Amino acid sequence: MKKIKLSQDLEYIFSLALSIVLALIIGALIILANGKSPLTAYASLINGSLGSPYKMATTLAKTVPLILTGLATAVAFSSGIFNIGGEGQLYLGAFAAAYVGFTFTNLPGLIGIPLALIFAALAGGFYALIPALLKVKYGIDEVITTIMFNSIAILFTGYLANYPFASSVGKMGATEMIAPAYKLLRLVARSKLHTGIFFTAVIALAIYYLMEKTSVGYDFKMIGTNLIFAKYGGINAERNMVIAMIISGVLCGIAGAFEVLGNHYRFLQAISPGYAFDGMLVSLIVKNKVVGVILMSIFFGILKTGSIAMEFETAIPSELVLVIQAIIILFIAGEKGFAQILRRIHAKEGVRGDV
Amino acid sequence: MKKTIAVLLILMLIGGLVLTGCGKTDDAQKQQEEVPAEPGDEEKEPLKVALVLSGGLGDRSFYDSSHEGFERAKKELGIEGSVLECKNDPSLYQDQLIQASENAQAVVVVGFEFFDVIQEVAPEYPEVNYIYLDNVVEGFDNITCITYLENEGTFLAGALAAMLTQETSIEGINEEKIIGMVGGVDLPVIRNFQVGYEAGAKYIDEEVRVETIYAGDFEDPAKGKECALALYAKGADIVFHAAGKTGEGVFEAAKEAKAYAIGVDTDQRYINPDVIVASMIKGVGLSVFETIEKIIDGTFEPGKVIYYGINEGGVDIGYGTPDMKQIVPDEIKEKVEEIKAKVKSGEIQVPTAK
């Protein structure tokens, strides 16, 4: 009977794997319906994302912002405070990093880069603090305020990049380029993979430690699971929620900083194609688990990079990947159902085994 | 349970193997196909051209216009080509440009957004010719820039709108001397449209007021519609748009408000000839076609910056096809032609946005 007792995690991993496989099968059917071969399509998707060092690097480069925004979501959501404002925090963080980069041009990289990251973290954290305070002090729903705050930050930084800090070259909505010392080293020729990935790994480890091994993380999760019980147990829920929100904002700000320091080398008006929302999806799929966020970000990175190659080689629109992602989410929403089916099968097997 | 997982893992593994296996055979097939083709081909190989767009096709405006020229080159010049869209995702600019450079001899790069990326990628592929539209990069042997004097075109559009708003005999034109413009995103290129438009209106009549709203998006017709409705509510009767796909909403709004609109980039009158009185044409397609033509007949000089203004036929005003009912009176059209001639001769200096 011991064998039958499944850990919930394992059960979840199983239904997640099932969701992904089913989503890929449905994707294959869609490709078939369009008269193309799903095998060549998926082959070019995998080859296009993992087929060479350059392609692998490109895939990894795509996962950096996803991991950071995914972790941001994981920390906030598991503490029961819903930070939908990651996009705005990311924009402000990106601008803050760029500002440091093109203003203090004489600093050496060793001081400048941490300074830019700190500025970005402060900007993101501060921007998350406002809605968090509004929530705990006045009970204003943070979902609504953070969504509105996104527009404010995106439009505000857009204004800054177009008027007071507009680039003197290139006719585009962007700031000046950051000083060379600030540019993070690129790791593989022609790809955008930069040393930010190591920072990201360290940050991910720190967040894992915080959430799984410290009492702070325990408090966070307790508040997220049952607010009333947590309060009854003597946890200062308001304070912890604010802290979780700040951490979330800091992570988004840093994600923005890496886009500037490692990727574009200047602040662009539309610097993020919605990383924070993608990160949110990633985190929701894996139920806000740190390890899950990392693995799922890599998977999303593979899909995104691969879909571009797939589109080029087989003329299947890269949007197919969005369909696959949506189906995965749909199945995950129905995960409870899978788990039940699984348990029923097991109950039968168990009975047979006992006999 | 463990068994099930094991079976599942095995299945996935096999699946993976099959998939990668397929990829390899496919490559092998491709190579086999290519190898005999080369020596057998006595004629000159078709030029391979890639079209890289920062946005996406289907805007019936800027990107579609470049695609038109590209398709024309395919048909008339026999080039081989593929289109790569970035759909306004900055993380794809470099990937798509590299993918294009790996597979083509000439790459048409459409969108000012590529400014940094093209400077990074072009030196890596010195044998590839880059044709960069809508921005200026200097000092590279293999980047040729084509930039448009939009302000000259919108000067004509502004003049036309300013004259039309005073023709109160036309149904839908009100007493007030207000005209409007919807811009896509507040960017230097679009501001250049705006400056020309305002100057054109002022050239006709100092009293004409130009109201401009930026939608903040090139891909969202709903926002375009809201902006245009706000302008019509303010008393504007003609709204010009420089907003790509967002502009489709402007035409919707014009229909609803029973007022008029001016199209952009291509001759957009066909979309709704009842409300779109004219279009400011930016000859993106023409310039793409002409440049590819030059590469093929060998007269192409790489590394230059080519300006397409009124003189070069790069910008113009279009009134649709002759079978459409003309809303703009002939006198106004004549006046526009006069102004065009003056801009050509240099008598009128159109201001530029910074």
Side-chain angles (χ1 to χ4, degrees), chain B residues 303-318:
Chain B
K304 289 241 168 91
V305 179
I306 306 164
Y307 290 93
Y308 270 78
I310 285 183
N311 262 327
E312 296 78 14
V315 291
D316 204 351
I317 289 279

Side-chain angles (χ1 to χ4, degrees), chain A residues 29-249:
Chain A
L29 291 179
I30 296 171
I31 298 170
L32 267 182
N34 280 301
K36 306 257 166 59
S37 155
L39 285 180
T40 42
Y42 284 148
S44 68
L45 191 142
I46 290 169
N47 187 37
S49 56
L50 303 168
S52 72
Y54 159 73
K55 288 165 182 164
M56 277 184 182
T58 306
T59 302
L60 276 179
K62 296 257 186 307
T63 64
V64 168
L66 284 183
I67 290 175
L68 288 167
T69 53
L71 289 176
T73 309
V75 172
F77 279 32
S78 55
S79 319
I81 187 157
F82 295 95
N83 179 15
I84 320 287
E87 196 73 1
Q89 291 142 20
L90 188 149
Y91 269 84
L92 278 189
F95 186 83
Y99 179 80
V100 173
F102 64 70
T103 311
F104 308 111
T105 45
N106 293 326
L107 291 180
L110 220 52
I111 302 168
I113 291 170
L115 190 73
L117 287 175
I118 289 168
F119 263 65
L122 285 178
F126 174 73
Y127 204 56
L129 174 67
I130 306 168
L133 288 179
L134 287 176
K135 174 172 170 90
V136 297
K137 294 260 190 237
Y138 305 107
I140 300 172
D141 195 333
E142 80 279 16
V143 174
I144 295 166
T145 48
T146 48
I147 289 176
M148 311 272 248
F149 268 44
N150 281 338
S151 306
I152 299 173
I154 292 169
L155 292 172
F156 176 61
T157 51
Y159 162 76
L160 291 176
N162 266 295
Y163 295 100
F165 300 103
S167 167
S168 54
V169 290
K171 284 209 296 181
M172 52 180 183
T175 64
E176 293 293 349
M177 209 174 237
I178 55 174
Y182 287 87
K183 294 180 182 174
L184 293 176
L185 205 65
R186 297 262 166 87
L187 296 170
V188 178
R190 288 175 194 179
S191 91
K192 292 248 179 191
L193 184 67
H194 50 82
T195 45
I197 191 143
F198 301 126
F199 287 96
T200 308
V202 172
I203 291 168
L205 264 177
I207 296 292
Y208 176 79
Y209 185 77
L210 176 85
M211 293 304 285
E212 306 295 334
K213 307 283 174 200
T214 66
S215 63
V216 179
Y218 182 78
D219 288 354
F220 282 176
K221 282 187 281 187
M222 193 59 100
I223 297 165
T225 331
N226 190 335
L227 180 63
I228 299 164
F229 183 74
K231 280 182 176 169
Y232 184 74
I235 296 173
N236 185 342
E238 277 80 24
R239 202 177 129 247
N240 277 298
M241 275 180 174
V242 172
I243 294 174
M245 191 74 164
I246 293 174
I247 295 175
S248 181

Side-chain angles (χ1 to χ4, degrees), chain A residues 312, chain B residues 46-52 70 80-82 84 97-108 125 127-130:
Chain A
F312 186 75
Chain B
L47 185 77
K48 277 190 189 165
V49 185
L51 181 70
V52 187
F70 186 67
E80 226 174 70
S82 45
L84 298 94
L97 199 56
I98 287 178
Q99 184 146 284
S101 309
E102 295 268 348
N103 294 292
Q105 296 148 285
V107 181
V108 183
Y125 299 91
E127 71 290 349
V128 177
N129 264 317
Y130 293 88

Side-chain angles (χ1 to χ4, degrees), chain A residues 6 39 43 58 62 162-163 170 173 186 190 192 266 269-270 273 275 304 308 311-312 318-319 346, chain B residues 1 19 82 87 89-91 94-96 98-99 102-103 112 115-116 120 124-125 135 185-187 191:
Chain A
L6 280 171
L39 285 180
T58 306
K62 296 257 186 307
N162 266 295
Y163 295 100
R186 297 262 166 87
R190 288 175 194 179
K192 292 248 179 191
R266 60 169 101 220
Q269 187 168 15
Y275 286 131
K304 186 164 183 186
I308 295 301
E311 186 174 68
F312 186 75
S318 60
E319 277 88 351
H346 250 282
Chain B
M1 185 58 216
L19 288 179
S82 45
K87 293 164 189 135
D89 181 346
S91 70
Q94 179 147 343
D95 302 356
Q96 292 285 44
I98 287 178
Q99 184 146 284
E102 295 268 348
N103 294 292
F112 63 88
F115 184 74
D116 286 333
E120 235 172 274
E124 302 260 347
Y125 299 91
N135 210 337
V185 181
D186 191 354
L187 285 165
R191 286 203 287 274

Side-chain angles (χ1 to χ4, degrees), chain B residues 139-150:
Chain B
F140 290 85
D141 292 339
N142 58 341
I143 303 178
T144 306
C145 298
I146 298 176
T147 189
Y148 306 89
L149 305 172
E150 302 92 1

